[in-house]
Amino acid sequence: MTSPILPGATVGVLGSGQLGRMFAVAARRMGYRVHVYSPDTDSPTGQLADREITASYQDLDAVADFARTVQVVTFEFENVPLETVQAVDGVVPVRPSGQLLHTTQNRLREKTFLRDNGFPVTPFCELESPRNFDQLDDQWFPAVIKTAAWGYDGKGQLMVRQRDDFQQWPADACGNLIVERLVDFQMELSVIGARGVDGQIVCYEPFENIHRHHILDFTLSPARVPPQVATEAKQIMRDLLASLDVVGVLCVEFFWDRNGSLLINELAPRPHNSGHLTVDAHVTCQFEQQVRAVCGLPLGSTRQHRPAAMANLLGDVWSHGTPNWPGVCGFDEVKLHLYGKSQPNPRRKMGHLTVMADSVDAALSIITQARQVLV
């Protein structure tokens, strides 16, 4: 069995956004050093890392030099080029693996893997080009059209209820597309799980997600679903962690449809926005699980202290100037998390709030009031 990478060692992170920042907090709390590699400077992760390397992902010599300064590497978002991961993997272990990254960074590869391995997914098909919209049979309407690669937070996708809606697709867009039949769902859920080097698996209870403009707005934990739905969602997660040979953290986004069935929407081979509340509400947060998994340590408890809610803070909160931070901090059970981003662009994730309460409904009420005082 592989020897664990013990505290005092240096962990490398590819990517430098807020997920890497919270990973760095967890890693440093446990006694690890953190080096981050990305094209950006003064990044959310770099502000807290021991060392920030600013270089292109395509500079494979620089990537290899970075790898030689650490004992293991993980990533904080999917859009790291596979060649970059392979350059690291020639020097030190990458966890999760480059093969998992290759599968999940392309929606067609991901959905095909899920379907071919018996996991529940929405019916889908491929379009080689936007020019082929007219080849779609009527059975596909209404649908969601997505770019196969490089999409996130609603980018690179379009709701299509009738053929005329295709005209909204950007004329200069290129690349192959995936067409997914629209799901009539009653709730969007996510499950986050972790798998260690030794195959140990832990899962959090499902989270209930509320989106606005295709961006996560609120997360509630635990999700307000029947026990059998929660059990099924966690079993799917366990099966996926094993099937994909994950070493690290995985998030599965689900639709719970009107017929009571669970359908997988997307996978994320990393911590996830919906799991941010685990930092405050659970014994072991998703970022500490990532540290433990990639370093070969036993995984932690996923027990939740109390019902909780999270609200995202987008750049829109700054639309009238500096937000009312004293006002939100006046809510004695609300926790404020900001990501160190200097430019609050509309719809850009700048931070989040979390709160624990006696019930999920109470937590949602408090967090809604708290966010309203910011503007």
Side-chain angles (χ1 to χ4, degrees), residues 64-281:
D65 288 343
F66 158 74
R68 283 188 279 270
T69 70
V70 302
Q71 280 70 62
V72 67
V73 169
T74 190
F75 45 84
E76 64 103 44
F77 81 135
E78 295 95 316
N79 292 344
V80 177
L82 184 60
E83 295 78 9
T84 304
V85 177
Q86 291 172 333
V88 171
D89 203 29
V91 181
V92 293
V94 178
R95 295 170 179 162
S97 69
Q99 181 57 46
L100 175 60
L101 182 71
H102 179 69
T103 298
T104 57
Q105 69 184 189
N106 181 286
R107 287 166 167 145
L108 274 168
R109 284 196 295 267
E110 178 178 287
K111 283 287 171 67
T112 300
F113 170 87
L114 294 170
R115 180 193 62 195
D116 292 352
N117 285 274
F119 292 100
V121 294
T122 307
F124 70 93
C125 69
E126 178 181 4
L127 280 181
E128 292 183 356
S129 165
R131 295 188 298 273
N132 297 343
F133 281 148
D134 58 355
Q135 297 178 9
L136 280 178
D137 190 272
D138 288 343
Q139 67 169 326
W140 289 103
F141 297 97
V144 179
I145 313 296
K146 302 177 182 178
T147 55
W150 315 118
Y152 62 98
D153 284 345
K155 297 177 176 66
Q157 63 179 273
L158 175 69
M159 181 89 67
V160 177
R161 296 190 179 277
Q162 54 190 9
R163 289 189 182 276
D164 289 348
D165 293 341
F166 286 134
Q167 297 175 10
Q168 300 175 41
W169 193 265
D172 59 349
C174 58
N176 59 345
L177 309 173
I178 182 171
V179 180
E180 301 177 7
R181 191 174 296 157
L182 190 66
V183 177
D184 183 17
F185 61 85
Q186 54 185 317
M187 189 181 292
E188 293 183 80
L189 304 172
S190 60
V191 175
I192 293 173
R195 183 171 178 269
V197 173
D198 61 355
Q200 179 192 6
I201 289 175
V202 297
C203 295
Y204 295 89
E205 291 296 318
F207 305 123
E208 177 180 341
N209 298 321
I210 302 169
H211 288 77
R212 186 169 180 266
H213 302 311
H214 303 290
I215 300 175
L216 185 63
D217 197 26
F218 295 103
T219 292
L220 311 179
S221 177
R224 295 171 292 186
V225 296
Q228 63 269 24
V229 174
T231 298
E232 180 184 356
K234 289 185 291 182
Q235 187 57 55
I236 291 172
M237 166 59 82
R238 292 188 184 95
D239 293 342
L240 272 169
L241 286 165
S243 296
L244 289 163
D245 195 23
V246 176
V247 176
V249 170
L250 180 72
C251 177
V252 183
E253 298 178 23
F254 290 100
F255 294 125
W256 182 36
D257 73 14
R258 298 290 178 184
N259 298 320
S261 299
L262 287 171
L263 298 170
I264 297 174
N265 178 28
E266 291 184 348
L267 307 180
R270 50 161 174 79
H272 190 261
N273 194 174
S274 63
H276 290 352
L277 54 74
T278 62
V279 172
D280 299 309

Side-chain angles (χ1 to χ4, degrees), residues 10-15 17-36 44-45 48-49 72-76 95-96 248-249 270-271 276 279 285-295:
T10 304
V11 180
V13 183
L14 293 171
Q18 63 266 19
L19 298 178
R21 180 187 184 92
M22 289 179 271
F23 172 85
V25 170
R28 295 191 68 173
R29 188 179 64 240
M30 293 180 67
Y32 291 93
R33 294 185 178 274
V34 178
H35 291 182
V36 58
T45 309
L48 298 185
V72 67
V73 169
T74 190
F75 45 84
E76 64 103 44
R95 295 170 179 162
V249 170
R270 50 161 174 79
H276 290 352
V279 172
C285 73
Q286 62 172 346
F287 302 101
E288 183 177 334
Q289 299 287 21
Q290 186 183 19
V291 176
R292 287 168 174 254
V294 302
C295 291

